[in-house]
Amino acid sequence: MGCGPSTPEAAAGGGASKGISVMEMNASNAIERELEIAKKEEESKVKLLLLGAGESGKSTIFKQMRILYGSPRPDDNLRQYGVIVRSNIVVAIRKLCSHLRNLGLESSLDEESQGAADGTSALTPRAAYDQIMAHLVDNTATEPMPQAPSNDAVNDWVGQSPRAGSAPNNDAKQFLQHADAIKVLWNSHTMKEVWAKRAAVNVIDAHKEYLREVSRIAAPSYRPTTQDVLLARVRTTQVVMEKYIIDGIEFEMYDVGGQRAERRKWIDCFDGVDAVIFVAALSEYDQTLAEAKRTNRMVEAIELFSSVCNNRAFAKTSIMLFLNKKDVFAEKIMTSNIVEQRAFADFAGQTKDFDQGVLYFIQKFKDCLIDDEFNDSFIHVTCATDTNNMEFVLDSSRTIIMTDNLRRSGFFGGD
């Protein structure tokens, strides 16, 4: 009988066993191929991480990426931003009114109000200020403001947005009730004086554009423009990620909160980062942190940049420096001297000279680096709210990042 099977069943059983083994092998090979494809896709992906102190403009750059490479915003998202814009105005006017009082400028309002009321309103600047203080700042009003006409409330395109949160929705509602007073007060000469001294209360500089457009933003037909969305301030309290396909390459961009309390979340994003875009606001050389009133914002940004650049987690990572808000910086140096800030008393440049001021702060950032590979091609002076400027900056940054990654990988012959 030899070594063969003694029955047909045994032979059939042996064939089945061999068939299962082949199927298992094919399945295993297919899984390995899928894993290899997924690995190659992951390796070809470019992961960008936006870092920097709070209110430096990181989220604005994040929004610019969507404008340039992403999809249009749906209506519910625009309504959310409509609420946020109106809320931002209320937050700004609260700070400015409190600052006006602290500066002792109420008597200036009285003198200004003795002339005539604003041409489009029966309110005088003083009456507008008193209304805002009573209803929005001190909450001492004994009677509620008259509600807007019912038709306006029904036809208001923005309405309320659950996604915006209860506080912004409440502020937006109050904005509509006090829009006339806000407009009158903003147009007063006294408020222009307060605005020039806004650094002390950390008002968002870009929100001047909202205050100039109160009538448009209060209109029932108001629909946020792209620029309105860019200027909107929403504190980032969680890691936000969006994906874009640019010239056939997948990019992942991560935005994180910049306030001190949010930075503990940064480490969760460090793994596999191809490039860091560190954002610092040039215009904040004369401001202090919202969370630490004695700490200069620019000093904080420089120290934070040093800790990021010298972190071992980024030893093989491209790091770009965006010195943002150049437009606000150019305006601010006309009235706020860099050398008058204790931290920057060594500034030897000409007062009101934009280029000398920028070069001074670039050197401050470069001085804190251990690695001398950081060259000027990795530094951009930006205006994050200017889409044309950001398109050029992001495009050139993308080229530098891709080239630097190839160099670091040894593709160009090693370091």
Side-chain angles (χ1 to χ4, degrees):
M1 293 189 181
C3 298
S6 59
T7 63
E9 290 80 1
S17 176
K18 185 176 180 181
I20 291 171
S21 177
V22 171
M23 288 173 62
E24 289 177 342
M25 186 177 296
N26 287 339
S28 177
N29 289 339
I31 292 171
E32 288 181 4
R33 284 195 299 271
E34 289 177 3
L35 290 173
E36 185 65 25
I37 291 171
K39 181 181 177 181
K40 288 181 178 179
E41 289 179 348
E42 187 65 26
E43 289 175 347
S44 65
K45 185 186 301 178
V46 178
K47 183 177 178 181
L48 304 177
L49 179 59
L50 284 166
L51 296 181
E55 299 181 7
S56 58
K58 298 185 304 300
S59 296
T60 305
I61 293 170
F62 192 76
K63 287 183 278 191
Q64 286 283 20
M65 284 289 288
R66 178 164 183 169
I67 291 170
L68 293 168
Y69 306 111
S71 57
R73 295 183 181 276
D75 283 354
D76 65 329
N77 189 232
L78 286 177
R79 288 188 169 92
Q80 177 187 2
Y81 272 104
V83 168
I84 291 166
V85 168
R86 289 171 172 176
S87 172
N88 284 169
I89 294 173
V90 170
V91 171
I93 205 68
R94 281 192 184 117
K95 290 182 177 181
L96 291 170
C97 284
S98 295
H99 196 35
L100 188 156
R101 178 166 58 188
N102 292 336
L103 291 171
L105 294 176
E106 291 173 324
S107 59
S108 296
L109 276 180
D110 290 332
E111 293 174 8
E112 190 174 347
S113 298
Q114 287 175 1
D118 180 272
T120 59
S121 171
L123 283 172
T124 64
R126 179 63 199 230
Y129 167 79
D130 288 341
Q131 177 182 317
I132 292 169
M133 292 298 290
H135 289 271
L136 300 181
V137 180
D138 296 332
N139 297 317
T140 55
T142 56
E143 295 182 6
M145 285 293 295
Q147 295 294 315
S150 58
N151 287 341
D152 285 354
V154 171
N155 296 327
D156 184 51
W157 187 84
V158 171
Q160 299 279 288
S161 170
R163 295 176 61 186
S166 59
N169 274 292
N170 185 57
D171 282 347
K173 182 179 178 180
Q174 289 185 307
F175 164 77
L176 293 176
Q177 295 172 342
H178 302 284
D180 286 344
I182 293 171
K183 180 181 177 181
V184 170
L185 186 59
W186 172 251
N187 288 330
S188 69
H189 296 296
T190 305
M191 186 53 73
K192 288 178 173 60
E193 185 177 348
V194 175
W195 180 258
K197 300 175 181 178
R198 67 192 178 279
V201 290
N202 290 330
V203 175
I204 303 295
D205 299 286
H207 290 172
K208 174 176 65 175
E209 303 304 320
Y210 292 161
L211 289 161
R212 288 172 171 171
E213 298 283 341
V214 167
S215 295
R216 175 178 67 88
I217 295 169
S221 59
Y222 171 62
R223 184 185 180 98
T225 64
T226 298
Q227 194 68 12
D228 290 341
V229 172
L230 284 173
L231 298 179
R233 168 62 182 162
V234 184
R235 179 172 173 174
T236 305
T237 57
Q238 58 185 348
V239 178
V240 185
M241 186 271 285
E242 288 199 7
K243 297 181 179 181
Y244 306 98
I245 302 296
I246 308 172
D247 294 339
I249 299 172
E250 183 176 349
F251 285 78
E252 284 184 356
M253 178 171 271
Y254 292 78
D255 183 24
V256 296
Q259 279 78 14
R260 288 179 173 181
E262 304 299 330
R263 293 175 198 168
R264 64 182 182 274
K265 303 173 186 176
W266 288 10
I267 195 169
D268 297 331
C269 306
F270 285 2
D271 187 42
V273 172
D274 294 293
V276 171
I277 296 177
F278 189 94
V279 186
L282 275 171
S283 61
E284 294 184 344
Y285 64 89
D286 63 348
Q287 294 177 245
T288 58
L289 295 179
E291 63 269 40
K293 298 296 185 183
R294 294 186 178 181
T295 303
N296 180 280
R297 287 192 178 203
M298 182 65 84
V299 170
E300 176 87 350
I302 292 169
E303 292 176 351
L304 192 56
F305 179 69
S306 176
S307 68
V308 168
C309 288
N310 300 318
N311 191 312
R312 285 182 295 177
F314 299 130
K316 296 183 178 180
T317 302
S318 302
I319 298 179
M320 314 289 294
L321 173 61
F322 284 14
L323 293 177
N324 192 35
K325 302 188 180 181
K326 65 177 183 179
D327 55 328
V328 181
F329 177 74
E331 176 190 335
K332 184 176 280 190
I333 58 173
M334 295 297 112
T335 56
S336 178
N337 198 341
I338 296 171
V339 76
E340 291 176 357
Q341 309 306 313
R342 182 182 301 175
F344 309 119
D346 61 339
F347 175 65
Q350 293 292 319
T351 303
K352 303 180 182 181
D353 189 297
F354 175 85
D355 291 335
Q356 290 186 27
V358 169
L359 290 173
Y360 169 77
F361 285 115
I362 286 176
Q363 193 58 49
K364 284 289 185 183
F365 278 91
K366 293 173 74 172
D367 285 347
C368 69
L369 300 176
I370 297 173
D371 188 351
D372 60 2
E373 285 189 5
F374 198 89
N375 58 59
D376 290 346
S377 66
F378 289 72
I379 302 172
H380 293 279
V381 180
T382 64
C383 174
T385 57
D386 183 338
T387 301
N388 291 330
N389 175 245
M390 289 311 302
E391 182 175 17
F392 170 78
V393 168
L394 290 170
D395 187 58
S396 59
S397 298
R398 181 164 53 90
T399 301
I400 292 169
I401 289 166
M402 300 298 290
T403 303
D404 195 49
N405 284 350
L406 289 172
R407 181 185 64 79
R408 290 174 185 273
S409 69
F411 187 81
F412 291 154
D415 293 331

